[in-house]
Amino acid sequence: MIVVDGIRLRLLGVPAVDGPGEDPAGILSQPKRLALLAYLAIQGGFVRREVLVEMFWPDSDPEKARRALSQATLTLRRSLGRTAIRSRGNEELGISPDHVWIDVRAFEAAIAGERWPEAVKLHRDELLHGLNGDQVTPEFSRWLDGERLRLQRAAAGAAKRLADASFKAGDVPAAIAWARRAVAVRPLDESIFREYLALLDEAGDAAQALSEFESFRSRLGTEYDLEPARETVRLIEMIRSRRPESPSGRTAESGITTVPDFPVAAGAPTRDTAGPAPAGQPPRRGWRGVRPAATGVLAVVALLLVWLNMPSTTDTTPAIVPNRVAVLYLTSMGDSTAQIIAEGVTDILIEHLRSYSAIEVLPRSAVQKYRNVAIDLDSLVPALRAAFFVYGSVRRLADQTQVSLEVTGADGTAVNSDVLTFDGANPAIITEAVLTWVAESIPQLRSAVMAREIRFGTTDSLAATFTLQGIAAERNAIQFGSTGAFDLVASQFQRADSLFGLAIERDSRWSNPYLYRGRLVGSRIRLCYLEVVDCEWQSAFDEGIGYLSAIVDRADNGAEALEERAQLRLMSWQYAVAIDTAVLNLAVSDASDAIELGGVRPLAHSVLTAVYMERGEWDDARSQALWALNSDEYGLDRGRILFDLFEIAFNMKQDTLALEYCASMRPLPRGDLRFLHCNLVLRAWSDVLPPDVDEARQLADVYLAGVHGDLRPVVTPQVELLLAAVLARAAERDAGQQNEVARLVDSLVGEHEGSDDRFLYAAAAMARLDRIPDAAEYLELYFAVSRTARWYVSTKRWFEGVSFDSRRLDPAEVGSVRDRKE
């Protein structure tokens, strides 16, 4: 990197700053400003001011905190030079990568590039060595602990890679030296220490291995009153039984002359936190090979001692952070396997929940002191300020494993709970089940977070209560519709609408009831389309647009109202309520304004994706879909967005990419149907998957087996006609088989009289057979009868070479055209 201003920022080890500013080294004497500089440097990119205020001035008045941030930024610019700290608008700050060299970023680049010696050399010592994070803020202290551990793991991983490479090359002395350095970085990680002992044994230096072990055990006993883990004891017993003493008397240093200097970490252990393993860290065995996991029993207990001796910084009346989740250690009952599984599941829960950007998950260090302690929310809530707690247990009974999991609110309200039972103790099976449970818990958790946040903006408790009850009634209506209890749907929608109305009467200046009343219209219209409830389409849309327009210009909910209005306008086009393409332009305008006003918003980006797909503007559609995917904080729309990306890539004939998107849908909750759909599409139209008829039939059978209830009459013709398209591709060079497939298509269309989409998929199968007139006729039927006929069919890859009239019909025309066709 070219450093224009010559600023060098060294954060690994004792921090140092060199640069052309007024007093770059002076920053080191000011812990909070050094911490702010380090945070910006390590986070990379731009960071919103509100995040910085929460991190460094959490207990200050918001205006005072922002002024303090501005003053600190001014001081940093004066100390480092004006180009070091950059701004984007009025709300974001960052370090300029073109003007500042940062050793942490260089270290991460070395790890990513697998330049292991460079990485080990750059990691001189722990991050910001000598800085006590608690002197800054508790929030920064937790972040610093996590970053120190992350970087230590990466450095130890690099040293282990070098040890492995040296051992494979036959250079055992170098392998021993690199392993020793991994131990120096992570002195309490017994898995690393055992690998070091094994290498000494491999070199025939049993005496050195026994000496290292005795020193390790003596230090544990003296400093922590602990014994090494049983795995370590077994290894040293095996070494002692085979090699009572070293015949050569060599030491671990013999023959080593070229390894760069590397200091031993300080004796006090670092508090552990959870998180994904960085690039370059070797996979671990057992549970630690399934998911990045804990550092082991020794580290956990030692860290617990550190945490217990730390001074408390808990406020006597702390405010609960609405989206904060504390994952408590799972308790274990039964054999030692239960303890291993409990550790693994705890790590899985922490890691996976951290993948949702809308949720703040406390690190392991914050909950260490509550391990093996009875859960008492009265003490946990004020100490951790968490709104939600995840806890459970692992029980081993004979050959079965039971994993109990629960999510509870700070007020004791259950969010979700389950008991997972397994035959045996297969880590892969348990991991998959736990991840599925987490994904299925996210919607409830999101609703619970929203219920806590929704009260902001009103002082009228009854208005807030009515709004929450209205949201619950809307959710009930949707649930009743999905389970076939149609007689209850309309009454729940009416109840929701009335409750939102009561909230507006109580506090007409509060925008939330207007927003949720507008959203309610969208939910009702979707069920209208499925003929679950009756709707006057146009009046319903007008009603929803009216509610949302009433709050578009309000500061508190303007962006949300704009994106919801954009979605309603898109729906009015998709359901043929509006047949003028101008409504799509209005949807684009609303979605763009929402992004301009509120930043990256998944719903607004998804609306833009849909509009560009309608128009066949695939490049723009892909760009917006990727924005939507990256900003989907709870991952609730991940399957739908990935399916959009699949369709975009497929229609752009980027089949390898389409296959990747298709495959990524399978492991998602309820993602199999989308996966099977796109798999059949690729088999019918792409060379990336063969048109294997037997395998396609099996996929179609699995697809139909997973469809139930009211969706079956809609989905079945799609699946069967997609299978026909696969058959058509397989019969490309056999005229007799082609005729047979064409007869099958006509037969399937006749069988599924209740489905409008049968005409679309029949047209696709006929186009696959190169029977263009038949394809055009089926498409004309599709556009005549389908309320949701999509404009972008005209640009779909399925229908290359097919000419047809894709104009949107006035709803009044649909009946007469259908009668004429039939």
Side-chain angles (χ1 to χ4, degrees), residues 742-805:
R743 284 192 290 272
L744 173 64
V745 171
D746 290 332
S747 174
L748 289 170
V749 170
E751 287 179 13
H752 300 292
E753 294 185 1
S755 168
D756 294 339
D757 280 353
R758 60 184 165 147
F759 297 124
L760 174 66
Y761 287 90
M766 288 298 190
R768 175 69 266 185
L769 287 168
D770 204 26
R771 298 187 178 226
I772 304 304
D774 291 333
E777 183 178 348
Y778 275 128
L779 280 171
E780 192 177 352
L781 280 166
Y782 173 67
F783 279 98
V785 304
S786 177
R787 176 175 288 278
T788 58
R790 291 190 178 187
W791 193 19
Y792 85 99
V793 166
S794 60
T795 63
K796 230 170 156 43
R797 178 175 170 183
W798 289 351
F799 304 114
E800 289 177 344
V802 182
S803 299
F804 54 92
D805 180 7

Side-chain angles (χ1 to χ4, degrees), residues 154-178:
K160 287 174 67 179
R161 288 291 184 94
L162 290 167
D164 291 343
S166 298
F167 182 75
K168 289 177 182 178
D171 191 349
V172 177
I176 291 171
W178 289 119

Side-chain angles (χ1 to χ4, degrees), residues 613-659:
M613 289 176 71
E614 291 281 344
R615 294 173 175 172
E617 298 170 3
W618 303 113
D619 282 323
D620 289 337
R622 177 169 57 188
S623 175
Q624 294 300 325
L626 289 171
W627 275 109
L629 184 68
N630 293 332
S631 59
D632 184 18
E633 294 181 323
Y634 287 95
L636 299 182
D637 290 325
R638 185 172 179 81
R640 177 184 56 76
I641 297 169
L642 284 171
F643 193 78
D644 284 344
L645 285 165
F646 159 75
E647 284 213 7
I648 292 164
F650 171 76
N651 283 292
M652 295 177 74
K653 297 187 177 179
Q654 298 174 343
D655 291 344
T656 302
L657 184 60
L659 179 61

Side-chain angles (χ1 to χ4, degrees), residues 463-484:
T465 299
F466 288 146
T467 301
L468 289 169
Q469 290 175 345
I471 293 170
E474 178 187 6
R475 193 178 302 119
N476 289 339
I478 295 171
Q479 181 65 26
F480 290 145
S482 66
T483 57

